[in-house]
Amino acid sequence: MYWVSFLSFENQGEKENIHTGDEKSELMISIYGSIAQEESINMGEALAWGKRRYAERGIVNLALIPYGYKKSKNGQWEIVDEEAAIVKMIYRMFSDGMGYTRIAKELASRGIISPGGNKHWINGTIKSILTHEAYIGNYLYQKGYTKDSIEKKAAKNTGELPQYLIVDRHESIIPLKTWEDVQKLVKQKSLAYENRKKKPFEKDTLVNRTFEKKYYCAHCGEIYIHTRNIKDG
């Protein structure tokens, strides 16, 4: 709740006989502020409810359009050939065994600008393109939602609200089989990353202690110690 205190104003709330200089007026201002806030919340919820009803019928009006598409004059999504070619390239690289980082570096080395207009690509952008259902012509509505109508705090929808999958909404860029195969690879990589654990060497005799406790970090001041690890896979 937001509390607002006014020093003075010309009419001094003539209509409601409100004067900011006395306690009763302060109370009335607080009450009116609470009512206005509640109305704002109700309006936000009503708008969200209306959008969900449209989504049930397959109608969505999106401000952000996925990379590779643009909105036509009639409001439909059209494929941007140059960007679509890059999307296909990313899927092909990933299918051939390249990871997110390597793909990002490869795109940057070729001078390809990212969806955000940057010279460098980030792993999150690569993964987002590889997992977005829009590239097979579908759209999943309400992946996220506004958690706080007043502060406009966004949150990931993990079951709090229903989601609506709109199938064949627009022309696809990636074949369904390719997309499904890529989703399996993404899951495999994610699982391998989560399960990867560090394994210390079994014997202390394998640890090189030559430079142990002789050097300090210039940034944090901590003393260097020797560690060696083996990663699964």
Side-chain angles (χ1 to χ4, degrees):
M1 181 182 294
Y2 295 92
W3 297 91
V4 181
S5 179
F6 298 94
L7 294 176
S8 65
F9 52 84
E10 292 291 331
N11 296 327
Q12 291 190 333
E14 291 179 358
K15 184 178 179 181
E16 302 296 340
N17 196 28
I18 295 176
H19 301 266
T20 56
D22 59 64
E23 294 182 358
K24 290 183 179 180
S25 294
E26 288 285 348
L27 176 60
M28 292 302 296
I29 290 173
S30 298
I31 292 173
Y32 285 133
S34 298
I35 293 173
Q37 178 175 303
E38 188 66 25
E39 288 179 350
S40 176
I41 293 173
N42 292 338
M43 184 179 295
E45 291 177 349
L47 289 171
W49 181 88
K51 290 179 180 179
R52 287 196 290 270
R53 298 294 78 80
Y54 272 109
E56 289 176 355
R57 295 157 52 191
I59 303 172
V60 291
N61 186 18
L62 306 168
L64 297 177
I65 300 176
Y67 182 74
Y69 292 97
K70 68 177 181 179
K71 185 178 289 188
S72 64
K73 293 181 180 179
N74 61 4
Q76 300 300 314
W77 288 4
E78 293 180 349
I79 292 177
V80 180
D81 293 334
E82 297 81 4
E83 294 180 358
I86 296 168
V87 170
K88 292 176 181 178
M89 183 193 304
I90 292 172
Y91 273 78
R92 185 168 59 253
M93 288 177 176
F94 190 76
S95 298
D96 289 342
M98 294 177 66
Y100 308 133
T101 302
R102 190 176 166 193
I103 293 174
K105 289 181 178 179
E106 180 63 26
L107 294 174
S109 69
R110 298 189 186 191
I112 298 173
I113 302 301
S114 74
N118 300 314
K119 294 181 179 179
H120 299 286
W121 291 66
I122 60 175
N123 292 3
T125 301
I126 302 298
K127 186 175 181 181
S128 176
I129 290 175
L130 289 169
T131 56
H132 207 310
E133 73 287 341
Y135 297 113
I136 54 173
N138 301 339
Y139 191 83
L140 181 61
Y141 180 74
Q142 209 157 251
K143 293 179 182 178
Y145 68 102
T146 302
K147 193 173 183 179
D148 190 316
S149 299
I150 300 299
E151 298 184 5
K152 305 297 182 183
K153 288 184 178 180
K156 185 178 180 180
N157 185 4
T158 56
E160 292 82 1
L161 294 172
Q163 294 182 324
Y164 305 93
L165 179 62
I166 305 171
V167 180
D168 296 330
R169 180 186 180 277
H170 50 270
E171 186 178 355
S172 64
I173 293 176
I174 301 298
L176 178 59
K177 180 65 167 58
T178 300
W179 188 85
E180 289 177 339
D181 290 342
V182 164
Q183 303 321 298
K184 293 177 183 178
L185 286 174
V186 169
K187 288 182 180 180
Q188 289 175 7
K189 286 183 177 292
S190 297
L191 186 61
Y193 179 81
E194 291 174 3
N195 292 335
R196 190 166 57 200
K197 297 178 181 179
K198 293 181 178 180
K199 291 183 178 180
F201 279 86
E202 295 180 359
K203 296 182 180 179
D204 289 339
T205 55
L206 296 176
V207 177
N208 186 346
R209 302 185 185 277
T210 305
F211 301 103
E212 199 171 66
K213 297 182 180 180
K214 292 185 179 181
Y215 297 97
Y216 293 83
C217 177
H219 298 286
C220 67
E222 291 293 326
I223 194 168
Y224 279 109
I225 60 173
H226 184 91
T227 59
R228 297 176 67 184
N229 299 293
I230 298 176
K231 296 180 179 179
D232 291 339

